[in-house]
Every structure is written in structure tokens, then in C-alpha cells.
Amino acid sequence: DSQIEEIINKQKGQNLSIDILGVDTFNNKDFDVVKFKVNPTEELKTFNQELSKLPNSNEYPNYEPHITVAYVKSGSGEKYHDPNKKLNFKIKGIEYSKPSGERINYPI
């Protein structure tokens, strides 16, 4: 927990924001993931690199920032594509979910 808190505390005062670049999907044989595409800013890339140094169960080697919206039946995600959906918001906090299910909130 202290390592995560240290990494998150480095982000305080950074004015982290999220730019949504449209609605898209990840597709696989079991289901489609409807997601907001997020602009991969240098700040987000750096934050991800720092967190990735900690023990984790990430199965995806390429960082593609996104916000998962829904899991839908495989092959049905295409109808949700909307490249014109643009949003921007500031990150005010981060929630860390421990393997035990406990959640810890860190303000930014």
C-alpha cells in the first residue's frame, strides 16, 4: 500500500485530465468490451509505467488507456462505435482495489 500511495502522491498537483476520443471496442471470442478511448498523454503513460513496476497481474503488454463502459455479446459491440463522442474531465482522485476487495481512495 505504501508503494502505491507514494506513486499516487507524486501525481498531486499534476492537473491530470482525461480526454475521451470516442467510443470503441475490444473484441474477442467470448465478449466485446465497449470502451471510451482515452488520449494516451505523457502523464498517463508515466503514471502507468510507475504502477507497472509493482507486482501485478496485467496480461496485456501494450498500454492502451481506456474506460470500460460495458461487456456485450461477442460481435455486437460495433453498433456502439461513436468516434464523435468527445469529453474532457480532471482526475480528482484514484481508487485502489486490493486483492482482498478492500478499496482505498486517494485524492489527487
Side-chain angles (χ1 to χ4, degrees):
D1 293 354
S2 64
Q3 290 175 307
I4 291 171
E5 188 171 359
E6 183 180 320
I7 292 169
I8 291 172
N9 283 337
K10 288 181 186 176
Q11 303 307 310
K12 287 188 177 184
Q14 289 287 324
N15 195 25
L16 289 177
S17 65
I18 300 287
D19 292 315
I20 302 295
L21 304 176
V23 180
D24 201 358
T25 56
F26 291 126
N27 307 97
N28 69 45
K29 65 181 175 70
D30 298 322
F31 53 83
D32 290 352
V33 178
V34 179
K35 64 179 176 81
F36 288 126
K37 292 173 60 173
V38 173
N39 183 21
T41 63
E42 287 305 314
E43 292 84 3
L44 287 176
K45 289 178 189 177
T46 300
F47 191 40
N48 176 264
Q49 289 168 351
E50 289 297 313
L51 288 172
S52 295
K53 293 175 184 176
L54 302 175
N56 65 75
S57 60
N58 185 4
E59 300 171 11
Y60 305 98
N62 297 324
Y63 177 57
E64 186 175 332
H66 66 281
I67 299 171
T68 300
V69 176
Y71 295 93
V72 297
K73 183 178 176 183
S74 183
S76 67
E78 292 291 322
K79 66 183 173 187
Y80 299 103
H81 281 218
D82 183 355
N84 298 314
K85 187 64 148 180
K86 309 284 188 205
L87 300 168
N88 175 275
F89 54 92
K90 184 179 178 195
I91 299 173
K92 295 184 178 183
I94 295 173
E95 181 176 275
Y96 167 58
S97 299
K98 295 172 119 182
S100 67
E102 178 187 357
R103 296 178 179 188
I104 303 171
N105 290 293
Y106 298 96
I108 295 286

